[in-house]
Amino acid sequence: MVDWDDLRVFLAVARAESLSGAGRGLKLDAATVGRRIARLEAALGAQLFVKSPQGYALADAGARLLPHAEQAEQALAGAAEALGAAAGHFSGQLRIGAPDGCANYLLPQVCAALCDAHPGLEIQIVALPRVFNLSKREADMAIAVSPPAAGRLTVQKLTDYRLHLAASRAYLARHAAINSRADLAGHRVIGYIPDMIFDKELDYLGVTGAETVGLASNSVPVQLMALRAGAGLGIVHDFALPFAPELVRILPAEVSLTRAFWLIRHADDRRSDRLGRLAEALGQGIRREVARLEAYLVQEG
C-alpha cells in the first residue's frame, strides 16, 4: 500500500529534480528523502527516478505516477478547502513568487493584512529577479511584469503602475539644474545589469537617453539604495518612492513609464476554490496598495 507521505516526497523530488532541493522544501535532510523514495520504489516495484549529473529525472514509471500523485495532492487540498470554507477563513500555506520591486514594497503590507484576517494562513513571499516556473511548483501563484506567451497557465491583469526618473536631493544639489531631457547628458544612470534583464518591460535605459548604466544591479532595492546614497539618477517605481524620502522625481511630465502587474497561476489550479479566492484577495490588496502609495506621492508632491 502506498503512503501519501511518500507520494508527497515523490512530488517534491520531481519538482526540485534533486534530493537536497526537495528536502529544503519538506524540511527533511537529503538522506531521509532518499530513503523515502527508495521505500516508495520498493512498494511499487518500479524505479521512479534516473540519477544523472544534472540531478534526478523522472523514469518512465515516475512519469506515469506523476499525474496520479498530483491528483491525490489536489484531492487532499480540496478537502482542506472545504473545511476552511465552512469555517469562513483561509488556512494552510501559500507561496507567492514576485519580482523584487513588488515583493519588497507591496506584498509585505498586502500579505500582513491577509494574515491578520486569516490567522491559519501561512504566506511565503519568494522575491527573485526572474520568471517563476509554476509547472515545477516553485510557487502557488506568481506576479509578473508581462503576461507569459506559453504554458498551461491562467493569467489575470492586476493593475497598472507608474515609474519616473528620480534622484536624491543631495545628488541634485551637487549638479546643475535638470530642466529638460538635454540636461540629462553626462549624469550617471543607475539601473539593471543589461544582460540580466529577464523581461523586456524592465528595460528602462532608452527613456533616460543614456547609452550605458554607470552603476547597475539586478535588484530593485539595491538600485533604490544607490539612488538614496546620491550615486546618480534612475527609474523608480512610484509606489517605492514613499519609502525613500530622500528622492524626488525629475522631469515627471517628460519621463514617465506605465507598466502592469499580472497574476499567473497553473491552469490546473482553476479547480481550486481556495486558490481562486486567495488570488482575488491578493489582487484586490495589490490594487489598493498601489493606489494608496501613488496617492501618497501625489499628496507629497
Side-chain angles (χ1 to χ4, degrees):
M1 185 173 181
V2 176
D3 187 320
W4 155 246
D5 214 33
D6 289 343
L7 280 180
R8 185 171 65 95
V9 173
F10 164 76
L11 284 172
V13 176
R15 290 162 180 168
E17 298 181 347
S18 74
L19 299 184
S20 58
R24 283 192 294 272
L26 297 168
K27 298 181 181 178
L28 298 172
D29 60 75
T32 300
V33 173
R35 287 194 297 271
R36 298 282 285 280
I37 292 298
R39 184 171 74 181
L40 181 59
E41 289 178 330
L44 295 173
Q47 182 181 359
L48 301 175
F49 293 97
V50 177
K51 187 177 180 181
S52 73
Q54 288 72 42
Y56 279 69
L58 285 171
D60 290 343
R64 292 195 298 272
L65 176 62
L66 182 62
H68 299 286
E70 289 179 332
Q71 288 173 11
E73 180 183 51
Q74 290 167 7
L76 285 173
E81 288 172 17
L83 293 174
H89 59 73
F90 300 128
S91 62
Q93 185 182 99
L94 176 68
R95 178 175 291 183
I96 305 166
D100 58 352
C102 176
N104 276 272
Y105 304 112
L106 297 174
L107 284 182
Q109 304 92 279
V110 173
C111 293
L114 279 173
C115 288
D116 287 345
H118 307 280
L121 188 61
E122 176 189 335
I123 298 179
Q124 298 177 348
I125 301 171
V126 184
L128 288 177
R130 64 169 175 81
V131 177
F132 283 80
N133 189 332
L134 293 183
S135 65
K136 291 186 178 180
R137 299 296 179 175
E138 291 183 334
D140 297 303
M141 54 187 71
I143 296 167
V145 293
S146 64
R152 294 185 61 253
L153 304 167
T154 59
V155 182
Q156 170 193 353
K157 183 178 178 181
L158 293 180
T159 186
D160 288 327
Y161 62 92
R162 278 152 287 280
L163 307 96
H164 287 88
L165 193 63
S168 72
R169 291 180 176 84
Y171 176 86
L172 294 174
R174 298 196 307 269
H175 295 80
I178 300 175
N179 297 311
S180 69
R181 281 180 177 269
D183 297 331
L184 297 176
H187 286 273
R188 181 189 297 121
V189 172
I190 295 168
Y192 283 100
I193 300 171
D195 62 357
M196 296 185 74
I197 294 175
F198 66 92
D199 192 297
K200 61 181 177 59
E201 296 295 329
L202 302 178
D203 189 357
Y204 308 140
L205 189 61
V207 76
T208 67
E211 295 182 357
T212 60
V213 180
L215 180 55
S217 173
N218 67 327
S219 165
V220 168
V222 171
Q223 293 174 32
L224 194 73
M225 291 304 292
L227 290 168
R228 296 179 71 182
L233 52 85
I235 298 295
V236 181
H237 303 79
D238 279 9
F239 60 69
L241 283 172
F243 299 94
E246 304 90 343
L247 303 185
V248 294
R249 294 189 295 182
I250 302 168
L251 306 177
E254 298 178 48
V255 184
S256 178
L257 296 170
T258 299
R259 295 291 190 265
F261 284 130
W262 302 80
L263 185 64
I264 304 167
R265 297 166 55 199
H266 196 279
D268 291 343
D269 292 342
R270 285 178 295 187
R271 295 191 292 267
S272 170
D273 179 64
R274 171 181 177 272
L275 286 177
R277 291 185 294 131
L278 279 169
E280 181 59 30
L282 181 68
Q284 289 176 357
I286 288 176
R287 287 189 287 273
R288 283 196 300 266
E289 192 61 12
V290 168
R292 183 184 74 84
L293 291 171
E294 290 189 350
Y296 174 86
L297 185 63
V298 170
Q299 292 167 7
E300 288 294 294

